Amino acid sequence: MKQTFTLLLACLAMMTTNARAEQEKQTAKLESVTIFTNGAQVKRSKTVTLKAGEQTITFTGFSPYMDTKSLQVKANGRLTVLGVSHRRAIADSLAQARKLAQAEQAVTGVERKIQQAHDEQQVIDAQAEMVKSNCSVAGRTVATPLANIKELNNYYAQELLSLKKRSQTLAEQLKDLEKEQARAKKSLDSLRRIKPKEVFDVDVKVTAQQAAQAAFTISYYVTNASWYPSYDIYSTAINKPMDLSYKVNILQNTKEDWQQASVTLSSANPNRSNTAPTLGTYWLDFEKPVAVRREQRSRSFSKAAAAEPMMVERVDEALQGRVAGLDFAEEEPESELIEVRQQQSLFGYEFTISQPLSLPSSTKATATEIARYQLPATYSYKAYPKKDKEAFLVAEATDWQKLNLLEGDANVFYDNSYVGKSRLATSSATDTLLLSLGRDPGIRVERTKVNEKSASRFLGSNREQTVTWRITVTNTRREDVSLSVYDQTPIARNSDINVTVEELSGGQRDKDTGIVTWKLDLKAGEKRELLLQYKVKYPKNERLVVE
């Protein structure tokens, strides 16, 4: 059955080749690739020798993910292009059929040799039996002289020994043939397991007045290709700027191998709609009242949060202090960068990589460093004693907007150790990026309830609760630090609840969120205490958790 299928495949491939093409298929050389954040534009070229008259040039090997609507073919030479068409095909179907036929012939040839060896062994066995039978004197009717018997015995012994040697040699040959058979079957099974590679063929119908050469350029858009940025951020000390390494991660699984291609990376997205929107009639009318449950009301927007620089997504909170990670030897020179030319295009940024790249089709991304920058940065500590007993070191980086950075993940390193992952949310950040560099156990923060200053009492139909918290901050480091401490007082969403702030120890409170901020400058070894006290009054027949 498999042999029949192989022969049919070979016949169909030969018939298709003869019917569709007057000459062999052409493979266009890869010239350049422009990779977008989703998809890629591929350009190929090929110089073909034409004969006089009408003919069809078939170019093969194009990605099965090609967007056929984007296909463009240009030709330079003394010819006229009559039409361009495309079709799906099996890559190297005739060559694959030939390989299968050769593999099957190899298996058949070995099996034939094995059968011949078995047949020869049967003949040897029959000859040995015949020698043994003739050697016997039991059935002889005429007395044989003793000298003749000795001579016969010597003859038969030599014959049996010769047959035995031939049998041993044949057995060794059979072992070798069986090994060869196993290899041939394994090769055949491997070829049968190969899935046919589907490609696009492009047929270009042309007419030429005379035999000549023509240069063809073929460009098309293909999916299953993309690129995205990532960053490595290094900080060696709190009095030095931050180093930023800009990397591009290229992913191409187009079923084409891009060898030694000129690569350009574009931040544009050709899949976005290019149709300009239209405006409908702007109707204005009174809204019908909609019942909204109290718990569904949205929280008010924090003015303090709006005024504060946008925070890059936090580093993994599970990290304790500076996690031991990858160390970088200071005495080793840094590796050289690939030369990249950056420019702003009509629809985004473009990075042209000067060095040709080889990008095989794969499910894994290829990372390439294209730039290194230094960012001016200031460092401070932030503490949230209600949530954590340790302070977080935060770097505020400026001048990042001049670098045309795109949003992406970042690996953060501090003091030559890996801290964790963060994200550059450049689409929503202000002129300052805040990066959390992890916990610092050298700054301890404790939040305890002061029972002697906390009380609960009844005033007529109301109940009044006073809550007092003591926040203790200790700088155990050997240098002075700037520290921002954040806590909060409750905000009432019901008019029957009244919140009064009694003590803040100099902290600034946002009236919309209740967040209290203390800006502290702590000397080395300094310890400081802050008090947060508030009073809540509400109807005594209501249940309310006040902490």
Side-chain angles (χ1 to χ4, degrees), residues 465 538 543-547:
Q465 284 186 257
Y538 58 95
R543 298 187 60 183
L544 188 66
V545 178
V546 179
E547 283 294 343

Side-chain angles (χ1 to χ4, degrees), residues 19 32 194 202 209 306 372 375 390 429 475:
S32 63
I194 294 177
V202 176
Q209 295 180 355
R372 297 186 186 127
L375 299 178
E390 293 177 342
N475 177 20

Side-chain angles (χ1 to χ4, degrees), residues 356-376:
L357 297 181
S358 293
L359 302 170
S361 180
S362 173
T363 57
K364 297 181 180 179
T366 300
T368 302
E369 186 181 23
I370 63 170
R372 297 186 186 127
Y373 303 109
Q374 275 197 341
L375 299 178

Side-chain angles (χ1 to χ4, degrees), residues 328-358:
F328 299 89
E330 295 182 359
E331 63 274 9
E332 291 294 332
E334 290 187 276
S335 60
E336 295 183 358
L337 291 173
I338 291 179
E339 184 179 348
V340 176
R341 186 177 70 254
Q342 180 177 343
Q343 61 184 8
Q344 187 167 5
S345 64
L346 182 62
F347 300 106
Y349 298 106
E350 287 187 352
F351 304 91
T352 302
I353 300 175
S354 60
Q355 178 178 332
L357 297 181
S358 293

Side-chain angles (χ1 to χ4, degrees), residues 111-125:
E111 290 176 346
R112 187 181 299 112
K113 291 179 180 179
I114 291 175
Q115 184 60 47
Q116 291 175 351
H118 284 300
D119 293 343
E120 188 174 351
Q121 182 63 50
Q122 291 179 359
V123 173
I124 292 174
D125 293 340

Side-chain angles (χ1 to χ4, degrees), residues 31 43-50 57 59 72-82 84 204-218:
E31 294 291 342
K43 182 180 178 181
R44 295 179 178 273
S45 64
K46 179 71 174 182
T47 300
V48 180
T49 301
L50 303 179
I57 311 299
F59 297 93
Q72 296 184 37
V73 178
K74 296 180 180 179
N76 293 327
R78 301 178 63 84
L79 76 160
T80 302
V81 177
L82 302 178
V84 177
V204 184
K205 190 175 183 180
V206 301
T207 182
Q209 295 180 355
Q210 60 186 17
Q213 286 191 331
F216 290 86
T217 301
I218 305 171

Side-chain angles (χ1 to χ4, degrees), residues 132-143:
K132 292 177 182 179
S133 176
N134 292 333
C135 184
S136 175
V137 296
R140 296 180 182 275
T141 57
V142 180

Side-chain angles (χ1 to χ4, degrees), residues 313-332:
E313 293 183 9
R314 60 173 173 76
V315 176
D316 187 1
E317 293 181 354
L319 295 174
Q320 299 291 332
R322 297 197 301 270
V323 179
L326 183 63
D327 290 334
F328 299 89
E330 295 182 359
E331 63 274 9
E332 291 294 332

